[in-house]
Amino acid sequence: MELGISMFGDLHIDQVTGKMQSAKQRLKELIEEIKLADELGIDVIGIGEHHRAEYAVPSPEIVLAAAAVVTKRIKLTSSVTVLSSSDPVKLYQNFAMVDLLSDGRAELMAGRGSFTESFPLFGYDLQDYSALFEEKLDLLLEINKNKTINWKGRFRAPLENQQVLPRTENSKLTVWVAAGGTPDSVIRAGRLGLPLVFAIVAGTPLLRFKSLYELYKNTYQQFGHDMAKFQVGMFSHALFGDDSKEIASYYYPLYGAQMDRIGRTRGWFPFQREQYDFGRSREGALFVGDAQETVDKIIYAHELFGITRFSAHLDVGAPSHAHLMKSIEIFGTKIAPKVREALKK
């Protein structure tokens, strides 16, 4: 099982003054954090796309390109790219460049977009939310297979004998699909034989996703795909410390504030401490605690779902750079080695 981290580039907001950290500072911190993850042998780093004031990263591939030249072995993926409001031609070119800069370490994780600010920003209609993703995924996969493209769709000009260059290191980019729990998304990924990652976040019970993992595996097998290439992952919010109660107490105000900022735009009830505490329990999808608690919980998730990749999403609500560096250190030196050892038995 691969063990990774992901981040969105959340900007720290002072709880008293409301002053927001600069994007420049956060981006520089992000590169330091990625360098440390690489040095500690973490398998994957994922960077997400957002178009809101409290995030520093609208284009994950720019950060990944910067990371490519300061890292040696860590895989570099978006987590996620909002494919529905992007141009698959330009996306492939950008990720091919990251792949070449990193000697073949780039991946692309495509999602429909939990956050929808990119749709009006780039001139797309939310009424076409699902159709856009279907069409653009089709084009992206076609580009991934063939250098010369002949293609026609609804939402962009047709391509007639057009070459999409440069090509990736091994002529094919690994494309994951991200899902938040919609059966249609699961079936699509299984039918196409694409690796799938579930976002299981906040206070969600882990068991709620077991049937979706089974649906994905069954669909993947039903369509005759090679189980030797089967990949399925999970992505959950996380933060680690030496003392479980101490890190939980530190993180709750930051995490709760971010959940409420997002929730106000989506009609959610205010985030409660009870949700946070349940999320931190063995059955919940919030990986906040010390190393041993986290090891036990990752192994439990592996047993429950058969995941081949676990990603700890570390910067929701913008913990300090020092706390993020400490979390990465704990993940790389204490959590990952114990999980790997346990899975050998």
Side-chain angles (χ1 to χ4, degrees):
M1 181 170 64
E2 292 179 312
L3 296 165
I5 60 172
S6 62
M7 291 181 282
F8 290 161
D10 290 46
L11 299 173
H12 184 75
I13 300 172
D14 189 282
Q15 299 278 293
V16 178
T17 66
K19 183 179 179 181
M20 189 178 288
Q21 178 187 27
S22 71
K24 176 180 177 179
Q25 181 185 2
R26 182 69 194 108
L27 288 169
K28 288 179 180 294
E29 291 174 353
L30 204 49
I31 296 301
E32 286 184 32
E33 291 154 10
I34 296 169
K35 279 185 66 177
L36 178 61
D38 181 60
E39 290 164 4
L40 295 176
I42 293 170
D43 297 312
V44 188
I45 173 68
I47 302 295
E49 171 187 347
H50 290 85
H51 302 268
R52 293 167 60 102
E54 67 266 38
Y55 298 104
V57 184
S59 301
E61 58 267 41
I62 302 296
V63 175
L64 298 175
V69 298
V70 297
T71 58
K72 295 179 179 178
R73 60 170 300 277
I74 197 167
K75 290 183 179 180
L76 305 165
T77 183
S78 55
S79 183
V80 301
T81 291
V82 184
L83 180 59
S84 308
S85 57
S86 301
D87 176 20
V89 174
K90 190 62 174 171
L91 268 183
Y92 180 89
Q93 291 177 319
N94 290 349
F95 277 86
M97 291 173 70
V98 175
D99 196 65
L100 296 174
L101 285 167
S102 65
D103 295 322
R105 291 184 280 129
E107 297 183 349
L108 191 157
M109 188 178 293
R112 294 193 298 173
S114 169
F115 291 80
T116 58
E117 289 82 5
S118 62
F119 288 79
L121 184 63
F122 298 119
Y124 292 102
D125 190 336
L126 276 171
Q127 296 294 321
D128 299 320
Y129 182 78
S130 295
L132 280 163
F133 184 78
E134 288 272 5
E135 179 174 301
K136 295 193 175 197
L137 182 61
D138 175 71
L139 177 54
L140 178 64
L141 296 179
E142 183 67 22
I143 293 167
N144 204 23
K145 285 189 295 185
N146 300 298
K147 181 168 69 174
T148 302
I149 305 298
N150 287 281
W151 180 92
K152 186 175 182 179
R154 284 177 56 199
F155 299 106
R156 63 152 293 154
L159 295 164
E160 297 181 6
N161 294 319
Q162 294 293 313
Q163 288 194 339
V164 181
L165 301 167
R167 306 303 291 178
T168 58
E169 175 86 352
N170 298 308
S171 298
K172 191 171 183 181
L173 181 68
T174 298
V175 177
W176 288 68
V177 170
T182 306
D184 286 349
S185 298
V186 175
I187 292 169
R188 181 191 300 112
R191 173 172 52 83
L192 295 171
L194 296 174
L196 177 69
V197 64
F198 287 97
I200 313 179
V201 298
T204 306
L206 290 173
L207 274 170
R208 184 181 293 174
F209 278 75
K210 187 167 178 59
S211 62
L212 291 171
Y213 276 96
E214 291 171 351
L215 175 63
Y216 171 62
K217 186 174 182 179
N218 291 339
T219 306
Y220 187 95
Q221 291 175 312
Q222 178 187 338
F223 279 85
H225 299 297
D226 184 358
M227 285 303 293
K229 298 178 180 178
F230 180 79
Q231 295 182 81
V232 62
M234 69 178 287
F235 153 110
S236 290
H237 298 161
L239 197 69
F240 315 121
D242 290 324
D243 182 273
S244 182
K245 289 184 179 179
E246 186 177 297
I247 193 65
S249 296
Y250 163 77
Y251 194 36
Y252 173 69
L254 297 172
Y255 189 81
Q258 179 66 344
M259 290 296 103
D260 286 342
R261 275 190 292 272
I262 296 168
R264 280 192 290 272
T265 67
R266 301 187 182 187
W268 296 349
F269 289 109
F271 190 75
Q272 301 294 320
R273 181 66 194 234
E274 289 80 8
Q275 290 172 265
Y276 182 75
D277 291 339
F278 172 76
R280 292 186 60 242
S281 72
R282 185 173 183 263
E283 304 301 328
L286 190 55
F287 289 70
V288 176
D290 63 29
Q292 191 57 54
E293 285 176 325
T294 306
V295 168
D296 293 342
K297 197 164 174 177
I298 292 172
I299 292 169
Y300 171 61
H302 179 266
E303 292 170 348
L304 196 61
F305 303 132
I307 52 175
T308 62
R309 177 180 291 183
F310 172 82
S311 288
H313 186 82
L314 293 180
D315 66 346
V316 175
S320 71
H321 178 51
H323 277 91
L324 290 171
M325 293 290 275
K326 181 66 173 178
S327 284
I328 293 166
E329 178 191 340
I330 291 171
F331 193 67
T333 62
K334 297 181 179 179
I335 295 170
K338 286 188 176 181
V339 171
R340 290 170 182 144
E341 185 61 32
L343 295 181
K344 288 179 182 177
K345 296 176 181 177

